[in-house]
Amino acid sequence: MRITVRVAAVQAEPTWLRLSEGVERVVELIGAAAGEGARLIAFPETFLPGYPWWRWVEANQWNVEYSTRCRENSMVRDGAEMRAITDAARDNGIHVVLGFGERQDRRIYMSQAVIDDSGELLTVRRKAGLNSVERKVFASGTPNLPAVHHTPIGKYGALSGQENQRPLLTRALRADEEQIHIAAWPGSAHGEVAGPDSMTTVSRMYALEVGAFVLAPCVVVGESAWEGTGSYPRPVAGPTGRARIYGPDGEEVVDALEEGEEGLLYADLEIGAQAVDGQQCESGRGTRDRKDRVATRRGSRRLAAGWQAGPDRWALPMSLGTYPGGIAAC
């Protein structure tokens, strides 16, 4: 049986290093997406409290101050802030994939939370493979394989940043016949690091390799990211990146928002049964939400692999959580 699932990818600027305001923003976006009929909303990498682009500023004293603020404004997985977000998912009947800084004691991790439409926290993964700058702020998680979540809206999974191009992780998700994938990105604010073009390329190649729809939410990096830096030199500003939604053939199923524009990118994905020849197929149609207008276009026609109930055989269970996969950390 084929079903149509509306999804939303976030393209927005975080409330940098202000956790309470950030949680309010997340709840607001969840409500906005659900109000447009979305069943799944995907947030960028480390949307709370914001990706540490300030680490590229060559000022040790300033970096120590902001590293402390980053830790203080990161969430714990069982705290009041997470409960506010899970309550919003439950109240709006929507699945949520959220990138956030997870605080545990004096360490913080780059984590992704997966919350179902009943408000249950299914998994929290901690990113293991950090780049040289991320390691200055975050601790590395345990390198467990990611989970594919078997839900009534299909089978979906999520990875952060450069994880989306690591064969061990992508093949694990492919083996579980992932249908919808969230490739979360932090945007780009520095001329010497891989920017929007690489994010687009990796997301498209993931869709082609795995044969899944790919939601690629992305952060907008604006002037507010540098508040408090004073006269310290800032990274070379460049394009911030654009959220995208790809079909399994690597084609965009909906036009992207403008560069630097804040909003939600919507698409209606048709999830169906496995094709006779074993190839994954799908058909997609997408719409985008803007403050002044809505544009639509039709994507290419194929069928996605069918949904099957059952436990995830890739997540490594831990003691927390009631979901068959437990709460996996990576």
Side-chain angles (χ1 to χ4, degrees):
M1 184 179 83
R2 296 171 67 178
I3 60 172
T4 299
V5 178
R6 170 160 280 206
V7 298
V10 173
Q11 179 176 308
E13 184 165 12
T15 57
W16 305 96
L17 304 178
R18 300 192 300 275
L19 179 58
S20 60
E21 295 177 32
V23 171
E24 292 176 2
R25 184 76 183 283
V26 168
V27 171
E28 178 184 351
L29 289 169
I30 289 172
E36 293 294 328
R39 300 289 309 281
L40 169 66
I41 181 172
F43 286 86
E45 183 175 29
T46 324
F47 191 71
L48 296 176
Y51 189 84
W53 289 113
W54 35 268
R55 280 301 316 189
W56 271 269
V57 176
E58 297 298 332
N60 290 334
Q61 181 178 358
W62 186 76
N63 271 315
V64 169
E65 174 190 347
Y66 273 68
S67 293
T68 301
R69 287 182 57 189
C70 185
R71 181 172 61 251
E72 292 173 348
N73 285 275
S74 293
M75 292 198 303
V76 294
R77 67 174 60 183
D78 57 354
E81 294 87 1
M82 182 64 80
R83 286 195 295 274
I85 295 169
T86 57
D87 288 348
R90 179 200 63 212
D91 295 343
N92 289 280
I94 187 172
H95 296 253
V96 177
V97 178
L98 174 67
F100 72 104
E102 181 191 357
R103 186 177 75 252
Q104 184 178 40
D105 299 324
R106 293 190 58 81
R107 294 185 177 184
I108 51 176
Y109 300 89
M110 303 181 74
S111 296
Q112 270 183 313
V114 177
I115 304 163
D116 71 8
D117 55 359
S118 69
E120 181 179 358
L121 183 62
L122 299 182
T123 61
V124 175
R125 281 192 70 249
R126 293 172 174 171
K127 185 177 178 180
L130 310 182
N131 64 38
S132 59
V133 174
E134 291 168 352
R135 287 196 296 270
K136 296 177 182 178
V137 181
F138 299 102
S140 181
T142 304
N144 293 349
L145 292 176
V148 172
H149 303 280
H150 299 241
T151 75
I153 65 169
K155 296 182 284 190
Y156 66 84
L159 295 172
S160 289
Q162 66 268 30
E163 287 185 322
N164 291 284
Q165 60 190 102
R166 292 185 178 161
L168 178 63
L169 303 180
T170 62
R171 288 170 185 170
L173 295 173
R174 181 178 183 178
D176 245 354
E177 299 178 342
E178 184 186 40
Q179 295 172 302
I180 303 172
H181 177 72
I182 291 85
W185 297 103
S188 179
H190 196 281
E192 297 180 1
V193 298
D197 289 342
S198 66
M199 300 174 198
T200 298
T201 300
V202 171
S203 299
R204 178 176 286 129
M205 289 304 298
Y206 189 100
L208 289 168
E209 178 189 355
V210 178
F213 288 102
V214 173
L215 280 62
C218 191
V219 164
V220 172
V221 183
E223 283 298 315
S224 61
W226 315 113
E227 290 179 358
T229 60
S231 60
Y232 290 119
R234 301 178 181 182
V236 178
T240 62
R242 302 165 78 181
R244 311 274 184 164
I245 300 178
Y246 295 102
D249 57 0
E251 295 294 325
E252 292 183 69
V253 299
V254 61
D255 295 333
L257 299 170
E258 295 298 325
E259 190 80 50
E261 180 182 1
E262 296 191 65
L264 294 168
L265 189 64
Y266 295 105
D268 296 316
L269 314 181
E270 290 187 23
I271 309 297
Q274 182 87 0
V276 175
D277 62 0
Q279 295 295 318
Q280 288 193 17
C281 307
E282 51 86 18
S283 84
R285 183 182 66 227
T287 64
R288 59 175 178 171
D289 175 37
R290 302 183 60 173
K291 296 176 181 176
D292 54 344
R293 64 188 176 91
V294 175
T296 66
R297 83 173 178 88
R298 291 188 177 273
S300 56
R301 295 280 177 183
R302 302 179 64 189
L303 286 177
W307 171 76
Q308 294 179 350
D312 168 52
R313 62 180 182 272
W314 288 101
L316 301 185
M318 297 177 69
S319 60
L320 297 177
T322 57
Y323 182 73
I327 292 184
C330 181

